[in-house]
């Protein structure tokens, strides 16, 4: 069984936390393009490492398949390599979150609206229903 937690949070603390989160979201969104470019550069480097790995180990290839397309003079070569994970180049991972424009706009609007309302209140603490609405941003 879970019990409801009753906590009263001071309005100035909530305002400060929301302002900090809003600034972080705006900064992360502004840097998103540069982060994505850096990630794509590391992915391209990884792709080259995979190519070099595959070429170096082609003698171990199994299930070798080719497909020649005469209409554009291209040859597709496909094969399988059984490898240990430790031997294979590690694929880069994103260390940032991709946020689409509509999601960004919605979050900024929600936080801005909450800040506007909280700054106008005379209440010393934020009630539970308001906290429930804004908790996902904190």
């Amino acid at each position: 069984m879970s019990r409801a937690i009753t906590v009263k949070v001071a309005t100035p603390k909530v305002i400060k936390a929301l302002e900090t989160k809003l600034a972080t979201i705006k900064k992360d969104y502004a840097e998103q393009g540069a982060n994505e470019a850096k990630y794509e550069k590391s992915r391209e480097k990884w792709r080259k490492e995979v190519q070099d790995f595959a070429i170096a180990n082609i003698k171990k290839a199994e299930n070798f398949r080719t497909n020649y397309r005469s209409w554009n003079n291209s040859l597709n070569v496909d094969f399988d390599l059984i490898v240990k994970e430790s031997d294979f180049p590690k694929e880069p991972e994103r260390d940032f979150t991709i946020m689409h424009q509509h999601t960004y706009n919605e979050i900024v609007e929600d936080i801005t609206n909450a800040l506007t309302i909280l700054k106008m209140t005379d209440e010393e603490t934020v009630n539970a229903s308001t906290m429930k609405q804004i908790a996902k941003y904190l």
Side-chain angles (χ1 to χ4, degrees):
M1 279 195 255
S2 64
R3 294 184 180 173
I5 299 174
T6 305
V7 178
K8 293 186 178 190
V9 183
T11 302
K13 286 184 179 181
V14 175
I15 291 172
K16 177 73 173 154
L18 283 173
E19 287 173 339
T20 302
K21 186 64 175 184
L22 183 61
T24 302
I25 288 170
K26 286 182 176 183
K27 178 181 171 278
D28 290 348
Y29 187 77
E31 294 174 350
Q32 183 171 287
N35 288 338
E36 185 65 20
K38 192 166 41 171
Y39 169 74
E40 283 303 322
K41 189 174 181 179
S42 65
R43 285 251 327 146
E44 188 57 37
K45 181 180 177 232
W46 173 76
R47 282 188 200 103
K48 288 181 180 173
E49 290 172 358
V50 170
Q51 288 173 356
D52 294 343
F53 179 83
I55 291 169
N57 291 286
I58 198 162
K59 291 197 185 279
K60 299 176 187 176
E62 298 175 2
N63 197 14
F64 204 84
R65 300 165 302 278
T66 61
N67 183 14
Y68 176 69
R69 296 175 198 92
S70 60
W71 60 273
N72 67 351
N73 294 324
S74 68
L75 174 66
N76 179 52
V77 178
D78 189 21
F79 58 90
D80 299 329
L81 282 175
I82 307 298
V83 296
K84 291 190 286 186
E85 188 176 337
S86 60
D87 294 339
F88 194 72
K90 184 170 177 0
E91 184 175 3
E93 296 178 8
R94 282 185 176 94
D95 59 352
F96 59 96
T97 303
I98 298 288
M99 187 180 299
H100 298 287
Q101 179 74 43
H102 66 278
T103 304
Y104 171 77
N105 290 344
E106 182 179 313
I107 290 172
V108 168
E109 182 181 359
D110 287 351
I111 293 175
T112 303
N113 290 344
L115 282 169
T116 302
I117 292 168
L118 288 171
K119 286 178 180 178
M120 290 190 313
T121 187
D122 292 331
E123 296 293 321
E124 293 179 18
T125 59
V126 178
N127 64 38
S129 64
T130 303
M131 281 304 295
K132 184 176 180 181
Q133 295 295 318
I134 62 172
K136 62 184 172 186
Y137 301 119
L138 299 176

